[in-house]
Amino acid sequence: MTDGARVATRPGATSREAATHCPYCALQCGMTLRETDGRTEVLPRQFPTNRGGLCQKGWTAAELLDHPERLTTPLVRDPVTGEQRPASWDEALDRVAAGIRTVQSGHGRDAVAVFGGGGLTNEKAYALGKFARVALRTRHIDYNGRWCMSSAAAAGIRAFGVDRGLPFPLEDLARAETLLLVGANPAETMPPLLRHLTDQRQRGGRLIVIDPRVTATARQADLHLQPLPGTDLAVANALLHIALTEGWLDREYLATRTTGFDAVRRTVAGYWPAEVERLSGVPVADLEATARALATAGSAIILTARGAEQHAKGVDTVTAFVNLALALGLPGRPGSGYGCLTGQGNGQGGREHGQKADQLPGYRKIDDPAARAHVAGVWGVPADDLPGPGVPAYRLLDSLGTPDGPRALLVFGSNPVVSAPRAARIESRLRDLDLLVVADFLRSETAALADVVLPVAQWAEEDGTMTNLEGRVLRRRALREPPPGVRTDLAVLAGLATRLDAPVDFPTDPRTVFTELRRASAGGPADYAGVTWDRIDAASGVFWPCPDPDGPDTPRLFADRFPTPDGRARFHPVTHRPAAEEVCADYPLHFTTGRVLAQYQSGTQTRRVAALRRAAPGAFVELHPDLAARLGVTDGEEVRVVSRRGELRAPARVSPTIRPDTVFAPFHWAGAARANSVTNDAVDPVSGMPEFKICAVRVERVES
Ligand code: SF4
């Protein structure tokens, strides 16, 4: 039975509804799914994050439920023809289990790897981590959230002692007299969030945006800083330099709530605004206006997103903005603070419960003996049987099929053929595997390479929980059962665990899994012990940490102390350094990537929705009119963007909204238009975040 669906009473029609949330981004907009006489429609639902709004992706999400390309039978690659062919579930799962046994008996347990996704529910992410550690006993598990949130997560942990994207509810944005968005474009990535920004403006607040492009969000700002890609860190240090020079720091806050400012003070002293203007292109007057607006406001919030984070110095860049926020005394103050805007639907929960290489449920560290003992106790296995930490996503994928790397990979909810940096190389690594297994509900580009494809349920067909960008745990409620031939991810894991003689059960009921997750997370940084489905149902979600079912949850963190050993936030001095790849005579332009409103992530889903395809039919290369004139390129003409790693082809979109030294392409498309054929695979040394946001390219006309 589905949970949360109810029969409505419209005369003459068979109708049922489920109050749930959008399957896509981390805003997790509230929506009602209604099925009437076999037709499913999406209705907006009042919820604190979206307040009745949806974007085009949410409105059209139900179209995929009965899409003609929906996978409803397992596929296995025929050894004779080399083609994928339909198979029974028994044949498919037997083949996966046999393949795993063969690989592990020949090459060891770590020769099998697991790759998850930031769109999986908490229950699935938890079960996947448990499956890797208990059924496969491999250390190799990581997920695509590594490419989304990891830099902000690492910076948050080292400064605040915890990683919760927003340490306050979204409604707090409206209370900020000054709001600074860094590398964030919610007008395109999560449009309903703009309702909060509109409130902020109507209350007299100022919006400042830092972005190399004049985005739809930047156009709404009171002030737009347009730095050269890769210079945000220097800009942040210059802002702190100005605040320090002007005597705008919160001295009492520094003394009572933080440690380590002296080293930061010495570092930012060298970030003279005039020099940062030369480096970044941001005028001194704009730097001064931004610092003043933040420092002299009664309340201020700084938010970062992928534009600041997806760099080989992403952790340090976020840290620079955290330093600024701390020096101004913002975190923990009403209507103030630092936060990051999580991207994927369960980007927050997906990084808390064990699908990260170094992590156990509850945001515990896998190399912490006490954490291992606790989680092993919940799982009913000896702690010594749990493997140690694995490696971050790109390193894992880049090692596949190599002499020292895994020889088999199980992919759940991810499409690295499109989403990985330097994607052609990763595609080649996937082809080198002995066994590639993909669980998905559509035949993604990665599924097309698989030896076995397992058709799994969609969001409207299963219950579970998601944790949104605020750290608010939500209920995903099923409207209907999966179609015949389709199983849930939990059922897939259970079927494989049985075949692999796993020492413990893998429940298929998500509520049972969540109950176990609560116990496993109890006492950890992301403590869900007091979160129950009934409690979520009775309110608009529950904010973690929530250790006690009868105690309060935590909408706002840091009011009195930070979850560090001494209760204080920690400054870290950080310095600007160039991008991993600088422009040169052969590759004289900066290349940056991002999203468009009508598409989502690797496009596996949204490229198949007719209305979204009409709105955003394909990739494009955005370039400034001056650059276009220099290259002799006209608007709409196909161009080639070439880096040291590969190229993409797409029509030129000539626009003054981008700097003349930078070109942009969205990353939702595959094939010749794949932006990640070009991107750099240099990674942040702390977070493992690849440098998606900057590399060196040249642009060429494609001769007809
Ligand atoms: S903003 Fe995000 S959660 Fe809301 S409807 Fe759009 S994609 Fe869905």
Side-chain angles (χ1 to χ4, degrees):
M1 271 296 287
T2 56
D3 186 9
R6 66 181 171 80
V7 176
T9 53
R10 197 156 66 80
T14 307
S15 181
R16 57 181 168 174
E17 293 182 357
T20 189
H21 297 267
C22 176
Y24 297 119
C25 85
L27 197 59
Q28 285 294 288
C29 295
M31 60 169 55
T32 299
L33 286 179
R34 179 184 294 161
E35 189 180 84
T36 307
D37 295 337
R39 197 176 70 84
T40 304
E41 61 183 331
V42 170
L43 305 170
R45 184 165 69 89
Q46 283 295 335
F47 197 75
T49 54
N50 62 311
R51 293 164 41 185
L54 293 174
C55 79
Q56 202 176 3
K57 298 185 287 288
W59 279 111
T60 56
E63 190 176 319
L64 292 173
L65 291 170
D66 299 308
H67 195 278
E69 292 181 59
R70 177 85 192 266
L71 294 170
T72 55
T73 183
L75 304 173
V76 298
R77 192 168 296 282
D78 190 294
V80 177
T81 66
E83 301 294 322
Q84 291 176 343
R85 62 163 172 78
S88 69
W89 271 98
D90 276 344
E91 181 187 359
L93 293 179
D94 286 348
R95 184 144 159 195
V96 175
I100 289 171
R101 284 187 192 282
T102 301
V103 166
Q104 288 194 318
S105 64
H107 303 276
R109 293 191 178 281
D110 290 342
V112 176
V114 177
F115 199 74
L120 301 178
T121 61
N122 290 320
E123 292 77 5
K124 292 192 228 178
Y126 168 83
L128 197 60
K130 176 180 168 183
F131 178 81
R133 275 64 179 247
V134 173
L136 299 175
R137 292 184 61 191
T138 176
R139 72 186 179 99
H140 284 311
I141 176 169
D142 212 57
Y143 79 128
N144 64 19
R146 179 74 66 178
W147 301 336
C148 182
M149 294 306 310
S150 58
S151 286
I157 289 170
R158 78 179 181 185
F160 305 128
V162 70
D163 158 34
R164 201 180 90 183
L166 293 183
F168 44 74
L170 264 180
E171 66 192 43
D172 282 14
L173 297 187
R175 299 185 197 167
E177 287 181 22
T178 297
L179 178 56
L180 174 62
L181 296 181
V182 189
N185 182 15
E188 292 211 63
T189 57
M190 41 182 68
L193 187 144
L194 294 193
R195 295 174 180 217
H196 299 273
L197 302 194
T198 302
D199 276 4
Q200 188 248 357
R201 306 291 296 287
Q202 285 175 346
R203 290 188 187 192
R206 280 162 295 194
L207 174 65
I208 302 174
V209 170
I210 300 180
D211 200 303
R213 299 169 64 221
V214 187
T215 61
T217 309
R219 275 196 285 276
Q220 301 186 21
D222 299 288
L223 179 60
H224 174 209
L225 281 51
Q226 198 174 1
L228 184 72
T231 61
D232 292 335
L233 193 164
V235 168
N237 277 359
L239 296 175
L240 184 45
H241 174 108
I242 294 166
L244 179 66
T245 308
E246 296 292 333
W248 288 333
L249 306 192
D250 187 332
R251 293 285 170 190
E252 188 190 340
Y253 187 96
L254 286 176
T256 59
R257 304 223 42 198
T258 70
T259 59
F261 180 65
D262 274 352
V264 170
R265 182 175 49 73
R266 286 194 296 275
T267 301
V268 301
Y271 283 75
W272 297 98
E275 285 185 21
V276 173
E277 175 179 333
R278 273 193 292 280
L279 180 76
S280 68
V282 177
V284 169
D286 289 351
L287 293 170
E288 289 175 347
T290 302
R292 180 185 301 276
L294 287 168
T296 61
S299 55
I301 289 176
I302 300 172
L303 298 179
T304 64
R306 303 306 83 71
E309 299 160 9
Q310 288 180 325
H311 294 270
K313 56 178 180 294
V315 177
D316 284 353
T317 300
V318 174
T319 298
F321 285 100
V322 169
N323 286 343
L324 176 63
L326 287 171
L328 299 176
L330 304 180
R333 225 166 75 195
S336 294
Y338 161 81
C340 78
L341 294 173
T342 298
Q344 293 193 76
N346 200 28
Q348 180 71 53
R351 66 183 190 266
E352 296 166 355
H353 297 299
Q355 61 174 334
K356 267 173 96 174
D358 56 352
Q359 189 196 71
L360 290 172
Y363 230 125
R364 288 184 156 91
K365 298 289 286 179
I366 200 167
D367 55 4
D368 172 2
R372 293 170 65 87
H374 172 81
V375 174
V378 173
W379 287 348
V381 298
D384 287 346
D385 284 1
L386 299 181
V391 297
Y394 187 78
R395 223 175 114 196
L396 172 62
L397 294 181
D398 193 30
S399 70
L400 297 174
T402 62
D404 297 326
R407 306 212 57 81
L409 179 72
L410 279 59
V411 179
F412 287 77
S414 191
N415 186 16
V417 167
V418 176
S419 61
R422 200 173 189 177
R425 177 165 162 138
I426 296 307
E427 184 175 340
S428 157
R429 297 282 191 248
L430 292 169
R431 290 181 191 277
D432 287 344
L433 288 167
D434 296 347
L435 176 69
L436 174 62
V437 181
V438 174
D440 211 326
F441 57 88
L442 291 161
R443 194 165 172 269
S444 68
E445 287 74 14
T446 305
L449 300 183
D451 300 293
V452 182
V453 182
L454 303 171
V456 291
Q458 289 195 49
W459 103 111
E461 299 160 353
E462 54 188 354
D463 291 298
T465 61
M466 305 280 278
T467 304
N468 78 352
L469 75 174
E470 308 165 286
R472 187 196 303 252
V473 190
L474 313 167
R475 281 275 282 111
R476 173 177 281 186
R477 299 180 182 88
L479 175 74
R480 63 186 206 182
E481 302 286 345
V486 168
R487 295 188 182 178
T488 66
D489 295 271
L490 293 178
V492 168
L493 294 175
L496 288 175
T498 302
R499 283 168 172 79
L500 294 168
D501 299 323
V504 299
D505 284 345
F506 281 78
T508 58
D509 169 42
R511 191 185 284 257
T512 305
V513 175
F514 190 75
T515 302
E516 187 181 302
L517 178 159
R518 290 171 53 210
R519 287 197 293 128
S521 75
D527 191 333
Y528 280 44
V531 185
T532 65
W533 282 21
D534 289 343
R535 188 170 174 178
I536 300 171
D537 289 345
S540 295
V542 177
F543 290 85
W544 71 259
C546 181
D548 181 353
D550 300 317
D553 66 345
T554 317
R556 292 176 181 82
L557 296 168
F558 315 147
D560 305 314
R561 69 185 311 277
F562 295 92
T564 56
D566 63 2
R568 294 171 179 235
R570 301 170 289 216
F571 280 98
H572 290 267
V574 289
T575 53
H576 169 78
R577 51 192 183 273
E581 183 179 67
E582 295 192 84
V583 294
C584 62
D586 290 338
Y587 302 97
L589 297 166
H590 303 284
F591 177 65
T592 192
T593 64
R595 289 168 53 178
V596 297
L597 194 156
Q599 296 289 342
Y600 182 70
Q601 304 299 69
S602 75
T604 303
Q605 298 170 67
T606 49
R607 280 187 271 127
R608 289 176 165 91
V609 176
L612 301 180
R613 224 174 27 242
R614 280 195 298 276
F620 56 87
V621 177
E622 185 176 288
L623 65 169
H624 192 274
D626 292 351
L627 176 61
R630 213 166 71 228
L631 298 171
V633 169
T634 54
D635 191 55
E637 173 185 352
E638 184 157 89
V639 293
R640 186 189 291 126
V641 178
V642 185
S643 76
R644 289 183 177 84
R645 294 154 296 279
E647 66 175 53
L648 84 95
R649 286 181 180 210
R653 183 175 289 182
V654 179
S655 167
T657 56
I658 191 158
R659 296 171 55 103
D661 55 10
T662 302
V663 292
F664 165 88
F667 56 67
H668 310 290
W669 283 273
R674 182 172 64 183
N676 278 317
S677 296
V678 173
T679 50
N680 195 350
D681 56 352
V683 298
D684 185 288
V686 176
S687 66
M689 168 71 82
E691 188 144 88
F692 288 107
K693 284 292 186 273
I694 183 168
C695 68
V697 299
R698 64 173 177 267
V699 176
E700 300 170 347
R701 301 181 66 200
V702 175
E703 304 297 336
S704 56

